[in-house]
Amino acid sequence: MMGRKALDYEELNENVKKVQYAVRGELYLRASELQKEGKRIIFTNVGNPHALGQKPLTFPRQVVALCQAPFLLDDPNVGLIFPADAIARAKHYLSLAPGGLGAYSDSRGIPGVRQEVAEFIQRRDGYPSDPELIYLTDGASKGVMQMLNAIIRNERDGILVPVPQYPLYSAAISLFGGSLVPYYLEEEANWGLDLVSTRQSVAEARSKGITVRAMVIINPGNPTGQCLSEANIRELLNFCYQENLVLLADEVYQQNVYQDERPFISARKVMFDMGPPVSREVQLISFHTVSKGYWGECGQRGGYFEMTNIPPKTVDEIYKVASIALSPNVPGQIFMGLMVNPPKPGDISYLKYSAESKSILESLRRRAQIMTDGFNSCRNVVCNFTEGAMYSFPQIRLPQRAMDVAKSAGKAPDVYYCLKLLEATGISTVPGSGFGQKEG
Amino acid sequence: MMGRKALDYEELNENVKKVQYAVRGELYLRASELQKEGKRIIFTNVGNPHALGQKPLTFPRQVVALCQAPFLLDDPNVGLIFPADAIARAKHYLSLAPGGLGAYSDSRGIPGVRQEVAEFIQRRDGYPSDPELIYLTDGASKGVMQMLNAIIRNERDGILVPVPQYPLYSAAISLFGGSLVPYYLEEEANWGLDLVSTRQSVAEARSKGITVRAMVIINPGNPTGQCLSEANIRELLNFCYQENLVLLADEVYQQNVYQDERPFISARKVMFDMGPPVSREVQLISFHTVSKGYWGECGQRGGYFEMTNIPPKTVDEIYKVASIALSPNVPGQIFMGLMVNPPKPGDISYLKYSAESKSILESLRRRAQIMTDGFNSCRNVVCNFTEGAMYSFPQIRLPQRAMDVAKSAGKAPDVYYCLKLLEATGISTVPGSGFGQKEG
């Protein structure tokens, strides 16, 4: 009698329905079911190191605990369980955040923390950074979503996204009603960027009436684990300049580098090194987070983005939209401040902090080596060395019979294989097709 | 030479540009400037009690501090500065969140905390609640945005919003490209809901080709401070049933009630009390938060929404979209668990917790009385008694000359008046027109 209601499936916003989200897709749901039935499941579908037993760094946790419970600062016994530099640092952040962790901050984040981020960027790149152009966010994903929402007007706006890609981008582009324009990373060239084929992707999109407006790079790569060379970044900045593209530089794995030949270098540094016109013309947004690196503080949801060559009126619009949800969570902001401004040599907590960091990074590096060696020692499996980030992306050559069985079960071969792996071993993975990779 | 770039103002998503956000608008920006110049500013533009000196409740902060620093649980001195029930509760949450605060949770929030929320709702309403239909969010605003995004398909989809209204709704509806359909609260009837005029609003929207799909109620009211009576809620549920509207019940001020004649009663309880067909047919989303009440933990960004009569396929779609940004911040989830499951009589911390809560609530109640009495004692000012929430919405009758001066300065009279108040006293307010109120 009543007709359909707005929250009936058929009536929902089509863009919401179009979203596909592989890392929490069919595999994840089946794994969660099995877990409920009592099976022990190892989730590898998303980079979540603390869930797999990585211990948090002690110093930042001490500081944030004290900020949460500022009355401890007046407790005569506090010195028995907290070191003096953690106490001093907690007082520092409480002085930057009047009202403490329980008050909304400015929607862009606490000014003093944005200042710490600007100083970190300047130390890293050798070029000054303006805290007014740095916005703190609830993790990097929220920042990426804000920027894509500002850029995408309709389905004729295209965003270049590397494939294999992290599904955040495809999902957010669907949600905002834009078009994903894939460019392929070359498995044979250690997942390097091939601009010839990227130009083809742009031309192809144009022939379909799509204006490509922005390009995403993920460096170090997720899920492919490569570090882009300086020459490669220079090429792609020239490309963005020529094609008039905003560059969205997802650099959340900048601390996760497992070899010395190809260190992380930020898109912003390369851009300023190149000088004009590129350094003055290319609109660049750079993203970072406390969820990766040796911090791995995913659950705290701390992140930032920095805007370079973005007109002030646009910066104000981004501020206005950030204001709708009032402010990013304040504890996550403090974690960001601590990450960009960690204990220094001579500080009481320095030795412990650096020993803990080194041990996590070495363990990640060791595991990167074990993973790629392990994959490559298997019959019918090949995998590039994981230079950075937290992932390996092996190619597994399936026998024809396995492909036929999958087909008759109505599943893509890799999805079928991952489901079988899950049922047999409890290891929950993400099939390569979930990252948009070509067949094979 | 290059043509416009995607992040030039002219090229931005029009919906982003259309957003107006009064509580962080012209007044707030001017106040921030004055603060930078060294003037002491009292911000009243947004409910942010800790920023105005309200102290946090001790028990939840102790628990979350321990969860942040779980190594303290092994420290032999921990009992000197933390009570035993806070230690036990921290262990409880760490057992619910494997990986602790540094791990992403399920995108819907930690299952054990959602269970605590469900038990709270059942105690409050007398009807069972299903944790699978409760999603935790980074504050209530994020939940509101998720739901509006799912409902709004295009500019012909209308959302009924009370006026005067909290600008979150107008801003989010603009951002998602829908149409705000105002319904007016009656200042003369203590900001009650007048369904005759609401029906007119719906008819008027329809005549413009707009399908009204959902209705927002804010109870207790923001910015108007009223509590809706049970009869009024029953009327509006019947109205939603007849008009086939989703009801979005913003109930974030449910603890902020300053009189005994009209206690808070949830839309969900009234709906179940009414029985079928209303209790089975009306699609209801109810929102709550840790930012209000006597908690006021705004900066922690903890919230939830509960879905009633929403089809399972839609529930899955909402989950999928929540997954894009991985998970709400975990400390905020713990605060939510603590708010719905506070210390009980007999617990070590109970007396302190209830004394602190009572003192905050009494202070808010006293101030509600002082504010409305104060406003009403001024010449040319009238204000309804603030029954709940944290705001008063006075009407100030300006002399004709003041209106003329404002007009010649090119400002709305109330904006001009608020700017003058700011410059003269440092008190930063929000003009009534920012809430969409009728002239006068």
Side-chain angles (χ1 to χ4, degrees):
Chain A
M1 151 230 164
M2 297 292 300
R4 287 210 178 116
K5 304 185 191 82
L7 284 172
D8 288 349
Y9 178 78
E10 297 74 13
E11 294 288 301
L12 295 178
N13 177 349
E14 285 299 323
N15 290 336
V16 163
K17 287 192 267 186
K18 274 186 210 143
V19 169
Q20 291 206 341
Y21 199 62
V23 297
R24 300 273 168 117
E26 182 178 2
L27 259 294
Y28 175 78
L29 293 177
R30 179 72 188 127
S32 301
E33 268 173 41
L34 288 172
Q35 193 179 38
K36 264 197 189 160
E37 291 165 15
K39 192 173 170 79
R40 196 174 152 258
I41 301 292
I42 301 169
F43 286 95
T44 72
N45 55 300
V46 58
N48 196 4
H50 289 209
L52 297 175
Q54 180 180 309
K55 290 252 174 316
L57 297 169
T58 305
F59 180 76
R61 290 298 193 99
Q62 288 170 327
V63 174
V64 176
L66 286 165
C67 290
Q68 280 291 10
F71 39 84
L72 294 183
L73 298 169
D74 305 324
D75 191 302
N77 293 311
V78 68
L80 296 175
I81 58 176
F82 290 97
D85 56 351
I87 293 170
R89 191 64 88 81
K91 287 181 179 164
H92 161 72
Y93 286 117
L94 290 172
S95 78
L96 295 181
L101 305 195
Y104 295 123
S105 70
D106 186 288
S107 308
R108 296 165 295 189
I110 299 164
V113 173
R114 291 188 285 137
Q115 179 65 41
E116 291 184 309
V117 172
E119 287 161 11
F120 154 78
I121 294 173
Q122 172 155 5
R123 280 195 309 276
R124 186 194 65 189
D125 293 344
Y127 295 100
S129 164
D130 179 355
E132 295 294 304
L133 301 176
I134 294 165
Y135 285 14
L136 305 181
T137 51
D138 288 309
S141 322
K142 285 285 165 65
V144 167
M145 292 175 79
Q146 273 175 43
M147 295 313 307
L148 288 173
N149 194 14
I151 291 172
I152 296 171
R153 298 165 303 183
N154 54 53
E155 70 283 2
R156 290 180 308 282
D157 282 343
I159 311 290
L160 272 170
V161 173
V163 169
Q165 64 110 18
Y166 173 52
L168 162 65
Y169 293 96
S170 47
I173 292 168
S174 294
L175 185 65
F176 299 129
S179 290
L180 185 149
V181 179
Y183 68 95
Y184 291 91
L185 299 175
E186 292 308 311
E187 189 159 9
E188 293 71 30
N190 209 22
W191 301 115
L193 198 74
D194 172 12
L195 283 172
V196 176
S197 79
T198 307
R199 262 178 238 282
Q200 280 167 3
S201 299
V202 173
E204 209 173 297
R206 252 183 221 139
S207 73
K208 292 184 203 152
I210 291 171
T211 311
V212 179
R213 308 191 88 210
M215 176 172 191
V216 173
I217 59 166
I218 309 178
N219 181 38
N222 173 1
T224 43
Q226 85 290 0
C227 289
L228 292 179
S229 69
E230 188 174 346
N232 219 179
I233 298 172
R234 206 178 300 123
E235 264 188 309
L236 77 86
L237 280 161
N238 265 321
F239 174 73
C240 289
Y241 172 66
Q242 288 154 11
E243 299 286 343
N244 223 1
L245 302 179
V246 173
L247 182 61
L248 301 173
D250 178 336
E251 300 177 332
V252 299
Y253 295 98
Q254 57 189 269
Q255 286 182 329
N256 299 87
V257 175
Y258 311 127
Q259 36 74 45
D260 304 314
E261 302 78 48
R262 210 131 71 179
F264 166 76
I265 176 164
S266 77
R268 184 173 175 277
K269 175 173 168 47
V270 177
M271 189 165 95
F272 284 135
D273 285 349
M274 287 170 80
V278 169
S279 65
R280 294 222 186 111
E281 293 292 336
V282 173
Q283 297 185 331
L284 170 70
I285 315 285
S286 312
F287 301 91
H288 200 7
T289 183
V290 303
S291 301
K292 310 301 167 191
Y294 28 90
W295 289 62
E297 290 281 9
C298 302
Q300 313 281 359
R301 313 312 288 121
Y304 78 75
F305 59 87
E306 186 196 20
M307 298 170 271
T308 309
N309 295 328
I310 309 301
K313 274 185 82 173
T314 296
V315 173
D316 289 348
E317 292 296 297
I318 306 293
Y319 183 18
K320 187 182 68 181
V321 171
S323 300
I324 302 177
L326 294 159
S327 83
N329 87 82
V330 177
Q333 298 183 42
I334 309 288
F335 273 101
M336 182 49 84
L338 288 158
M339 184 176 92
V340 296
N341 187 15
K344 288 177 189 52
D347 291 352
I348 301 167
S349 297
Y350 177 72
L351 284 180
K352 185 169 189 182
Y353 172 81
S354 66
E356 289 176 348
S357 309
K358 212 171 281 172
S359 135
I360 292 169
L361 197 59
E362 269 163 18
S363 150
L364 288 168
R365 187 187 272 244
R366 207 162 52 235
R367 282 182 283 166
Q369 192 70 55
I370 293 171
M371 284 298 282
T372 42
D373 286 356
F375 279 132
N376 286 318
S377 73
C378 295
R379 217 156 44 114
N380 294 324
V381 179
V382 288
C383 186
N384 281 321
F385 175 64
T386 296
E387 300 175 333
M390 291 159 56
Y391 312 100
S392 299
F393 199 88
Q395 182 180 123
I396 300 170
R397 299 206 182 89
L398 296 176
Q400 188 57 46
R401 232 182 33 187
M403 311 250 255
D404 295 342
V405 172
K407 208 179 156 189
S408 67
K411 309 239 179 243
D414 59 344
V415 174
Y416 188 78
Y417 185 89
C418 289
L419 278 169
K420 285 285 162 200
L421 181 71
L422 170 66
E423 310 271 350
T425 66
I427 299 175
S428 172
T429 55
V430 185
S433 58
F435 298 97
Q437 176 61 335
K438 312 183 248 208
E439 242 183 86
Chain B
M1 149 230 169
M2 296 293 299
R4 287 213 178 113
K5 303 184 192 83
L7 283 172
D8 288 350
Y9 178 78
E10 296 74 13
E11 294 288 300
L12 295 178
N13 177 348
E14 286 298 323
N15 289 338
V16 164
K17 287 193 269 187
K18 273 185 211 145
V19 170
Q20 291 206 340
Y21 199 61
V23 296
R24 298 274 168 117
E26 181 178 3
L27 259 292
Y28 175 77
L29 292 176
R30 179 72 189 127
S32 301
E33 269 174 41
L34 288 172
Q35 193 179 38
K36 265 199 188 158
E37 291 166 14
K39 192 172 170 82
R40 198 175 150 257
I41 301 292
I42 301 169
F43 286 96
T44 71
N45 54 300
V46 60
N48 197 3
H50 289 207
L52 298 175
Q54 180 181 309
K55 291 252 175 313
L57 297 170
T58 305
F59 181 75
R61 291 297 193 99
Q62 288 169 328
V63 174
V64 176
L66 285 165
C67 291
Q68 280 291 8
F71 38 84
L72 294 183
L73 297 170
D74 304 323
D75 191 302
N77 293 310
V78 68
L80 296 175
I81 58 177
F82 290 97
D85 56 350
I87 294 170
R89 191 63 88 82
K91 287 180 180 165
H92 161 73
Y93 287 117
L94 290 172
S95 78
L96 295 181
L101 304 194
Y104 296 122
S105 70
D106 186 286
S107 308
R108 297 165 293 189
I110 299 164
V113 173
R114 291 188 284 136
Q115 179 63 42
E116 291 183 309
V117 173
E119 287 161 9
F120 155 77
I121 294 173
Q122 173 156 4
R123 280 195 308 276
R124 185 195 64 190
D125 293 345
Y127 296 100
S129 164
D130 179 356
E132 296 294 302
L133 301 176
I134 294 165
Y135 284 16
L136 305 180
T137 52
D138 288 308
S141 322
K142 286 283 165 65
V144 168
M145 293 174 78
Q146 273 175 43
M147 295 314 307
L148 289 173
N149 193 16
I151 292 172
I152 297 171
R153 299 165 303 182
N154 55 53
E155 70 282 3
R156 290 181 308 282
D157 281 344
I159 312 290
L160 271 171
V161 174
V163 169
Q165 63 112 14
Y166 174 51
L168 161 65
Y169 294 96
S170 48
I173 292 167
S174 293
L175 184 65
F176 300 128
S179 291
L180 185 150
V181 179
Y183 68 95
Y184 291 92
L185 299 175
E186 292 309 310
E187 189 159 9
E188 294 70 30
N190 210 20
W191 302 115
L193 199 76
D194 172 12
L195 283 172
V196 177
S197 79
T198 307
R199 264 179 235 279
Q200 280 167 2
S201 299
V202 173
E204 207 173 300
R206 252 183 221 142
S207 73
K208 292 184 202 152
I210 291 170
T211 312
V212 179
R213 309 191 88 212
M215 176 173 192
V216 173
I217 59 165
I218 309 178
N219 181 39
N222 173 2
T224 43
Q226 85 289 2
C227 289
L228 292 179
S229 69
E230 189 175 345
N232 218 178
I233 298 172
R234 206 178 302 125
E235 265 189 310
L236 76 88
L237 280 162
N238 265 320
F239 174 74
C240 289
Y241 171 67
Q242 288 154 10
E243 300 286 341
N244 222 1
L245 302 179
V246 174
L247 182 60
L248 302 172
D250 177 337
E251 300 178 330
V252 299
Y253 294 98
Q254 58 190 267
Q255 286 183 328
N256 300 88
V257 175
Y258 311 127
Q259 35 75 46
D260 304 313
E261 300 77 48
R262 210 129 71 179
F264 166 76
I265 175 163
S266 78
R268 183 173 176 278
K269 174 173 169 46
V270 177
M271 189 165 94
F272 285 135
D273 285 348
M274 288 169 78
V278 168
S279 65
R280 294 221 188 112
E281 292 292 335
V282 173
Q283 298 185 331
L284 169 70
I285 315 285
S286 311
F287 301 91
H288 201 6
T289 182
V290 302
S291 302
K292 310 302 166 192
Y294 29 89
W295 290 63
E297 291 279 10
C298 302
Q300 314 280 0
R301 314 311 289 120
Y304 77 76
F305 59 87
E306 186 195 21
M307 297 171 273
T308 309
N309 294 329
I310 310 300
K313 275 185 82 174
T314 297
V315 173
D316 288 348
E317 292 296 297
I318 306 293
Y319 183 18
K320 187 181 69 180
V321 171
S323 300
I324 302 178
L326 295 159
S327 85
N329 88 82
V330 178
Q333 298 182 42
I334 309 288
F335 272 102
M336 182 51 85
L338 287 158
M339 184 176 93
V340 297
N341 187 13
K344 288 177 187 52
D347 291 352
I348 301 167
S349 297
Y350 176 74
L351 283 180
K352 187 171 187 181
Y353 172 82
S354 66
E356 288 176 348
S357 308
K358 212 172 282 175
S359 134
I360 292 168
L361 198 59
E362 270 164 17
S363 150
L364 288 168
R365 187 187 272 245
R366 209 162 48 237
R367 282 182 284 167
Q369 193 69 58
I370 292 170
M371 283 299 281
T372 41
D373 286 356
F375 279 132
N376 287 320
S377 73
C378 295
R379 218 158 39 116
N380 294 323
V381 179
V382 287
C383 186
N384 281 322
F385 175 64
T386 297
E387 298 175 333
M390 290 158 58
Y391 313 99
S392 298
F393 200 88
Q395 183 181 125
I396 298 170
R397 300 206 182 90
L398 296 175
Q400 189 57 45
R401 231 182 34 189
M403 312 251 254
D404 296 342
V405 173
K407 206 178 156 191
S408 67
K411 308 240 179 245
D414 59 343
V415 174
Y416 187 79
Y417 185 87
C418 288
L419 278 168
K420 286 286 161 197
L421 180 71
L422 171 65
E423 310 270 350
T425 64
I427 299 175
S428 174
T429 55
V430 185
S433 58
F435 298 97
Q437 175 62 334
K438 313 184 248 207
E439 243 184 84

